Amino acid sequence: MSDTLNQVSAQSTEIIKNTGANLVDFFTHLFARERFASHLLERSFNQPLGWIELGTCIALMVLTYWLSGYLIGRRAQKPTKWAALSHIGRRVLWPLMLLAAAVAALFTWTALGFNGVWLQLLVMAARWMIIIRLLLAVVHAALPNNKITDMLESTLSGVLWVSFVLWISGIDDVVINMLKSVQLPIGSITLNLYTILTGLVWVAVIMVFALWLSRTINSRLMNSNRLDMNLRIVLSKVVTTVLVTLAVLIALPLVGINLTVLSVFSGALGVGIGFGLQKVASNYISGFIILGDRSIRPGDRLTVNDFTGYVTKITSRFVVLRSAGGSEALIPNETFVTSTVINESYTGKSLWQNLNIQVAYHTDLTQAMRILEEAAAAQERVETDPAPKAFLVEFADNGVNLRVGFWVRDPENGFLGLFSAILLDIWARFNENGIEFPFPQREIRILNDAPEPSDAAMLHAGLKARSSTRSDEPDNEHGAHS
């Protein structure tokens, strides 16, 4: 009995060892190009088994594609904080499922004693698709979303698939040897074309990864409500600068460039900044200053050089101001450090506005002022604390000038619509209470031409002239008698 148990135990141990060895051998040669290439032409369409294997591959591709689309559709309605990672997950879900299904099918196929050709090709293609989609997803997340990025993704995808075909067929060895044979002397060293191209590829990969990581971290920072907006922008710029600098420092040695060369380059850069790049460096440093002292924040209402607008964006070189009419001004950061800037939102967001109204002299001024205050307070955009206040301004030529002042809690939404609503309410309330709006009144005198002497004046002048003639007569007569 004991001998039987020992034999069974020995057989079980041997089976386990053989199974483990088979598994190790299976996964060791799973992505082996040589093993695949040696069986590629052995049988393909010459045997029915090859067609069955090819049909199995097609069925796996269709099934996993449908299942991944179904899972993505169910998750589409659920928001996620990590939008970039969610995008990557959607891109690699199908090739991951295809790889798992292909590996399971290939293991079963080989366990049945058959040589897998198309299934192993499917495994290799699924793995390569995962790599391609990961790279393209990172490029999509790292670069701006525009037509150039789309063209770059399509081109990169095509190049990578061509590289896969060259690798499978073994032609890549020929191409690599040709590139290595091209020697390029650079200074005191000699580099071959293969080293330069691979170095450039690594530089591009590291830079794209740094940009993707920077945008992901910046997205998290900008969506955080625990930090001040200016602090978020500062941290975002610092993270981007540090990651890009690290990417350059890591990538340059891969190309074969010694980092000691940077000491000479930094000296030349310092001279360039001192002359040609002085304004650029000044604006860049000024950007960190205005963000650090919190003198300007997104949403502030500023007046710079007679231009009034709201801060919509703060970049490393300039600040974007958008006026109520939609026009935008790009103000260099240095201007906010060296010039006088009117910030109407520095201590508070609300802005004081007023409207002037004229009423007739016989108006009950107390009632009119109360109506003005109530009309302004009825608007949701007007602050209730402090409440609107009406004032008597002046006794003018045609009426009494009144003014109502109030604080607007959201000046970024403009004032024209608010003023119109308040004036319409005042108009309706004044008409209900018989309060008149005066209008200018003028008296006009129309003067004729210079008046002619009247008949009475003419008669009086004639009588006076005749009387004067008579008074002369005695003298004449006396002269005659003498």
Side-chain angles (χ1 to χ4, degrees):
M1 184 67 178
S2 59
D3 295 337
T4 304
L5 292 175
N6 291 333
Q7 291 178 358
V8 172
S9 177
Q11 292 177 356
S12 300
T13 304
E14 187 67 21
I15 293 174
I16 294 174
K17 288 182 179 181
N18 292 334
T19 303
N22 291 334
L23 286 174
V24 171
D25 181 71
F26 173 78
F27 286 104
T28 300
H29 298 89
L30 183 62
F31 302 106
R33 179 182 61 175
E34 293 79 7
R35 185 175 181 180
F36 167 74
S38 63
H39 296 84
L40 181 60
L41 300 177
E42 181 179 349
R43 59 169 176 81
S44 58
F45 301 107
N46 296 328
Q47 299 179 2
L49 197 61
W51 288 95
I52 296 175
E53 184 183 2
L54 179 60
T56 304
C57 293
I58 296 175
L60 290 176
M61 293 174 63
V62 173
L63 179 62
T64 53
Y65 182 80
W66 174 84
L67 185 59
S68 64
Y70 174 76
L71 294 176
I72 292 174
R74 293 195 60 180
R75 295 283 298 178
Q77 302 299 328
K78 297 182 179 180
T80 176
K81 296 181 179 179
W82 295 87
L85 293 180
S86 177
H87 174 75
I88 295 175
R90 292 194 300 269
R91 295 290 299 271
V92 301
L93 179 60
W94 177 44
L96 279 175
M97 297 178 63
L98 181 61
L99 177 62
V103 170
L106 180 60
F107 181 78
T108 305
W109 191 265
T110 54
L112 295 175
F114 304 121
N115 292 324
V117 177
W118 294 109
L119 286 173
Q120 189 171 1
L121 177 61
L122 184 62
V123 169
M124 293 181 176
R127 184 189 66 162
W128 195 251
M129 187 185 299
I130 293 174
I131 297 174
I132 292 176
R133 293 203 169 190
L134 280 174
L135 292 176
L136 295 181
V138 172
V139 171
H140 177 83
L143 301 179
N145 189 11
N146 49 41
K147 293 182 178 180
I148 297 178
T149 304
D150 295 338
M151 292 176 59
L152 178 61
E153 291 184 23
S154 301
T155 304
L156 183 59
S157 176
V159 170
L160 291 175
W161 278 114
V162 170
S163 302
F164 173 73
V165 173
L166 294 177
W167 177 75
I168 284 293
S169 60
I171 304 177
D172 62 321
D173 293 333
V174 179
V175 175
I176 292 174
N177 292 331
M178 290 177 58
L179 294 176
K180 287 183 178 180
S181 63
V182 180
Q183 303 291 328
L184 299 175
I186 302 176
S188 59
I189 61 175
T190 302
L191 299 177
N192 57 64
L193 189 57
Y194 176 76
T195 303
I196 295 176
L197 291 178
T198 53
L200 292 177
V201 169
W202 276 109
V203 169
V205 170
I206 295 175
M207 289 294 294
V208 169
F209 178 77
L211 292 174
W212 168 76
L213 186 60
S214 172
R215 291 191 64 177
T216 303
I217 296 175
N218 292 342
S219 177
R220 293 284 295 176
L221 286 174
M222 299 306 293
N223 293 330
S224 175
N225 296 323
R226 298 180 180 179
L227 300 176
D228 181 74
M229 177 58 72
N230 282 28
L231 181 58
R232 282 182 262 173
I233 296 176
V234 170
L235 292 177
S236 174
K237 295 182 180 299
V238 170
V239 167
T240 302
T241 304
V242 170
L243 288 177
V244 172
T245 303
L246 288 177
V248 172
L249 294 178
I250 295 173
L252 288 180
L254 296 176
V255 188
I257 299 177
N258 194 344
L259 294 179
T260 56
V261 179
L262 294 179
S263 60
V264 179
F265 176 76
S266 61
L269 181 62
V271 175
I273 290 176
F275 291 96
L277 302 179
Q278 182 179 4
K279 288 294 184 181
V280 176
S282 176
N283 287 323
Y284 188 81
I285 297 173
S286 298
F288 281 96
I289 292 175
I290 62 179
L291 288 172
D293 60 16
R294 301 176 62 186
S295 58
I296 296 174
R297 291 161 295 184
D300 283 357
R301 179 182 172 93
L302 307 180
T303 300
V304 183
N305 298 331
D306 298 329
F307 185 89
T308 301
Y310 296 91
V311 178
T312 58
K313 188 177 182 181
I314 301 177
T315 68
S316 301
R317 190 178 64 86
F318 56 84
V319 174
V320 181
L321 295 185
R322 182 181 179 86
S323 67
S327 59
E328 294 180 327
L330 308 181
I331 311 297
N333 293 332
E334 185 183 12
T335 304
F336 298 94
V337 178
T338 60
S339 304
T340 301
V341 178
I342 300 175
N343 190 344
E344 299 178 0
S345 308
Y346 183 69
T347 57
K349 184 180 179 181
S350 300
L351 289 181
W352 174 264
Q353 298 293 313
N354 57 73
L355 293 172
N356 294 324
I357 305 293
Q358 191 177 70
V359 296
Y361 270 100
H362 60 268
T363 302
D364 184 350
L365 297 181
T366 303
Q367 182 185 22
M369 295 171 67
R370 184 177 67 253
I371 291 175
L372 295 181
E373 295 174 353
E374 292 175 354
Q379 301 299 320
E380 294 182 357
R381 297 177 56 192
V382 175
E383 295 280 3
T384 57
D385 186 19
K389 186 66 177 177
F391 304 93
L392 193 155
V393 178
E394 180 186 13
F395 295 104
D397 295 337
N398 303 301
V400 181
N401 291 337
L402 304 179
R403 178 177 298 169
V404 57
F406 46 88
W407 289 94
V408 181
R409 60 166 56 99
D410 56 346
E412 67 275 6
N413 293 325
F415 304 104
L416 187 59
L418 177 63
F419 291 167
S420 177
I422 295 175
L423 291 175
L424 286 174
D425 195 7
I426 292 173
W427 171 272
R429 298 283 295 276
F430 275 15
N431 288 331
E432 292 175 359
N433 292 274
I435 298 176
E436 297 180 2
F437 294 97
F439 51 88
Q441 300 183 18
R442 299 288 185 269
E443 287 188 2
I444 301 176
R445 291 184 60 192
I446 301 177
L447 301 178
N448 297 325
D449 296 336
E452 297 180 356
S454 62
D455 295 338
M458 294 289 290
L459 179 60
H460 180 70
L463 292 174
K464 185 176 181 180
R466 285 194 294 271
S467 63
S468 299
T469 302
R470 283 193 211 104
S471 64
D472 291 338
E473 289 177 356
D475 293 337
N476 294 334
E477 293 177 355
H478 178 71
H481 290 297
S482 60

PDB file of all heavy atoms in Angstrom, residues 453-468:
ATOM      1  N   PRO A 453     -40.855 155.677 -37.309  1.00  0.00           N
ATOM      2  CA  PRO A 453     -41.537 156.691 -36.466  1.00  0.00           C
ATOM      3  C   PRO A 453     -43.050 156.641 -36.675  1.00  0.00           C
ATOM      4  O   PRO A 453     -43.535 156.484 -37.797  1.00  0.00           O
ATOM      5  CB  PRO A 453     -40.949 158.025 -36.951  1.00  0.00           C
ATOM      6  CG  PRO A 453     -39.649 157.632 -37.590  1.00  0.00           C
ATOM      7  CD  PRO A 453     -39.849 156.294 -38.179  1.00  0.00           C
ATOM      8  N   SER A 454     -43.786 156.737 -35.600  1.00  0.00           N
ATOM      9  CA  SER A 454     -45.258 156.692 -35.667  1.00  0.00           C
ATOM     10  C   SER A 454     -45.806 158.017 -36.214  1.00  0.00           C
ATOM     11  O   SER A 454     -45.100 159.029 -36.285  1.00  0.00           O
ATOM     12  CB  SER A 454     -45.826 156.418 -34.278  1.00  0.00           C
ATOM     13  OG  SER A 454     -45.475 157.477 -33.404  1.00  0.00           O
ATOM     14  N   ASP A 455     -47.101 158.041 -36.596  1.00  0.00           N
ATOM     15  CA  ASP A 455     -47.742 159.252 -37.154  1.00  0.00           C
ATOM     16  C   ASP A 455     -47.824 160.358 -36.113  1.00  0.00           C
ATOM     17  O   ASP A 455     -47.644 161.538 -36.429  1.00  0.00           O
ATOM     18  CB  ASP A 455     -49.146 158.909 -37.660  1.00  0.00           C
ATOM     19  CG  ASP A 455     -49.086 157.944 -38.837  1.00  0.00           C
ATOM     20  OD1 ASP A 455     -48.002 157.895 -39.492  1.00  0.00           O
ATOM     21  OD2 ASP A 455     -50.084 157.235 -39.086  1.00  0.00           O
ATOM     22  N   ALA A 456     -48.089 159.986 -34.882  1.00  0.00           N
ATOM     23  CA  ALA A 456     -48.176 160.999 -33.819  1.00  0.00           C
ATOM     24  C   ALA A 456     -46.848 161.694 -33.621  1.00  0.00           C
ATOM     25  O   ALA A 456     -46.776 162.928 -33.434  1.00  0.00           O
ATOM     26  CB  ALA A 456     -48.641 160.354 -32.516  1.00  0.00           C
ATOM     27  N   ALA A 457     -45.791 160.898 -33.686  1.00  0.00           N
ATOM     28  CA  ALA A 457     -44.465 161.506 -33.523  1.00  0.00           C
ATOM     29  C   ALA A 457     -44.170 162.441 -34.680  1.00  0.00           C
ATOM     30  O   ALA A 457     -43.580 163.522 -34.506  1.00  0.00           O
ATOM     31  CB  ALA A 457     -43.413 160.402 -33.422  1.00  0.00           C
ATOM     32  N   MET A 458     -44.570 162.006 -35.886  1.00  0.00           N
ATOM     33  CA  MET A 458     -44.348 162.865 -37.042  1.00  0.00           C
ATOM     34  C   MET A 458     -45.130 164.171 -36.927  1.00  0.00           C
ATOM     35  O   MET A 458     -44.624 165.258 -37.261  1.00  0.00           O
ATOM     36  CB  MET A 458     -44.765 162.108 -38.319  1.00  0.00           C
ATOM     37  CG  MET A 458     -43.896 160.889 -38.632  1.00  0.00           C
ATOM     38  SD  MET A 458     -42.247 161.361 -39.177  1.00  0.00           S
ATOM     39  CE  MET A 458     -42.640 162.058 -40.783  1.00  0.00           C
ATOM     40  N   LEU A 459     -46.378 164.131 -36.489  1.00  0.00           N
ATOM     41  CA  LEU A 459     -47.207 165.327 -36.323  1.00  0.00           C
ATOM     42  C   LEU A 459     -46.632 166.265 -35.277  1.00  0.00           C
ATOM     43  O   LEU A 459     -46.558 167.494 -35.468  1.00  0.00           O
ATOM     44  CB  LEU A 459     -48.632 164.917 -35.945  1.00  0.00           C
ATOM     45  CG  LEU A 459     -49.628 166.069 -35.716  1.00  0.00           C
ATOM     46  CD1 LEU A 459     -49.772 166.935 -37.007  1.00  0.00           C
ATOM     47  CD2 LEU A 459     -51.002 165.539 -35.297  1.00  0.00           C
ATOM     48  N   HIS A 460     -46.170 165.674 -34.170  1.00  0.00           N
ATOM     49  CA  HIS A 460     -45.597 166.476 -33.112  1.00  0.00           C
ATOM     50  C   HIS A 460     -44.333 167.181 -33.597  1.00  0.00           C
ATOM     51  O   HIS A 460     -44.093 168.372 -33.280  1.00  0.00           O
ATOM     52  CB  HIS A 460     -45.293 165.594 -31.901  1.00  0.00           C
ATOM     53  CG  HIS A 460     -44.707 166.339 -30.752  1.00  0.00           C
ATOM     54  ND1 HIS A 460     -45.441 167.245 -29.994  1.00  0.00           N
ATOM     55  CD2 HIS A 460     -43.439 166.349 -30.225  1.00  0.00           C
ATOM     56  CE1 HIS A 460     -44.667 167.768 -29.060  1.00  0.00           C
ATOM     57  NE2 HIS A 460     -43.428 167.219 -29.191  1.00  0.00           N
ATOM     58  N   ALA A 461     -43.531 166.495 -34.343  1.00  0.00           N
ATOM     59  CA  ALA A 461     -42.308 167.107 -34.865  1.00  0.00           C
ATOM     60  C   ALA A 461     -42.635 168.238 -35.842  1.00  0.00           C
ATOM     61  O   ALA A 461     -41.970 169.278 -35.864  1.00  0.00           O
ATOM     62  CB  ALA A 461     -41.453 166.035 -35.545  1.00  0.00           C
ATOM     63  N   GLY A 462     -43.709 168.089 -36.634  1.00  0.00           N
ATOM     64  CA  GLY A 462     -44.092 169.147 -37.587  1.00  0.00           C
ATOM     65  C   GLY A 462     -44.596 170.388 -36.885  1.00  0.00           C
ATOM     66  O   GLY A 462     -44.272 171.507 -37.276  1.00  0.00           O
ATOM     67  N   LEU A 463     -45.424 170.211 -35.833  1.00  0.00           N
ATOM     68  CA  LEU A 463     -45.925 171.359 -35.089  1.00  0.00           C
ATOM     69  C   LEU A 463     -44.795 172.116 -34.427  1.00  0.00           C
ATOM     70  O   LEU A 463     -44.775 173.352 -34.401  1.00  0.00           O
ATOM     71  CB  LEU A 463     -46.923 170.887 -34.038  1.00  0.00           C
ATOM     72  CG  LEU A 463     -48.255 170.329 -34.607  1.00  0.00           C
ATOM     73  CD1 LEU A 463     -49.101 169.763 -33.463  1.00  0.00           C
ATOM     74  CD2 LEU A 463     -49.031 171.425 -35.361  1.00  0.00           C
ATOM     75  N   LYS A 464     -43.828 171.333 -33.890  1.00  0.00           N
ATOM     76  CA  LYS A 464     -42.701 171.982 -33.234  1.00  0.00           C
ATOM     77  C   LYS A 464     -41.872 172.773 -34.234  1.00  0.00           C
ATOM     78  O   LYS A 464     -41.390 173.885 -33.946  1.00  0.00           O
ATOM     79  CB  LYS A 464     -41.846 170.935 -32.535  1.00  0.00           C
ATOM     80  CG  LYS A 464     -40.709 171.540 -31.723  1.00  0.00           C
ATOM     81  CD  LYS A 464     -39.958 170.466 -30.974  1.00  0.00           C
ATOM     82  CE  LYS A 464     -38.836 171.098 -30.143  1.00  0.00           C
ATOM     83  NZ  LYS A 464     -38.071 170.077 -29.403  1.00  0.00           N
ATOM     84  N   ALA A 465     -41.737 172.271 -35.412  1.00  0.00           N
ATOM     85  CA  ALA A 465     -40.962 172.980 -36.435  1.00  0.00           C
ATOM     86  C   ALA A 465     -41.672 174.281 -36.856  1.00  0.00           C
ATOM     87  O   ALA A 465     -41.038 175.322 -37.056  1.00  0.00           O
ATOM     88  CB  ALA A 465     -40.740 172.072 -37.633  1.00  0.00           C
ATOM     89  N   ARG A 466     -43.034 174.211 -36.994  1.00  0.00           N
ATOM     90  CA  ARG A 466     -43.758 175.415 -37.377  1.00  0.00           C
ATOM     91  C   ARG A 466     -43.715 176.470 -36.286  1.00  0.00           C
ATOM     92  O   ARG A 466     -43.608 177.651 -36.535  1.00  0.00           O
ATOM     93  CB  ARG A 466     -45.209 175.048 -37.725  1.00  0.00           C
ATOM     94  CG  ARG A 466     -45.334 174.356 -39.101  1.00  0.00           C
ATOM     95  CD  ARG A 466     -46.794 174.324 -39.538  1.00  0.00           C
ATOM     96  NE  ARG A 466     -47.593 173.487 -38.673  1.00  0.00           N
ATOM     97  CZ  ARG A 466     -47.785 172.192 -38.861  1.00  0.00           C
ATOM     98  NH1 ARG A 466     -47.191 171.575 -39.876  1.00  0.00           N
ATOM     99  NH2 ARG A 466     -48.543 171.518 -38.037  1.00  0.00           N
ATOM    100  N   SER A 467     -43.827 176.033 -35.067  1.00  0.00           N
ATOM    101  CA  SER A 467     -43.753 176.997 -33.954  1.00  0.00           C
ATOM    102  C   SER A 467     -42.399 177.676 -33.913  1.00  0.00           C
ATOM    103  O   SER A 467     -42.276 178.864 -33.605  1.00  0.00           O
ATOM    104  CB  SER A 467     -44.039 176.293 -32.631  1.00  0.00           C
ATOM    105  OG  SER A 467     -43.041 175.313 -32.363  1.00  0.00           O
ATOM    106  N   SER A 468     -41.384 176.984 -34.250  1.00  0.00           N
ATOM    107  CA  SER A 468     -40.057 177.589 -34.287  1.00  0.00           C
ATOM    108  C   SER A 468     -39.968 178.622 -35.397  1.00  0.00           C
ATOM    109  O   SER A 468     -39.330 179.680 -35.259  1.00  0.00           O
ATOM    110  CB  SER A 468     -38.999 176.488 -34.479  1.00  0.00           C
ATOM    111  OG  SER A 468     -39.025 175.573 -33.406  1.00  0.00           O
TER     112      SER A 468
END
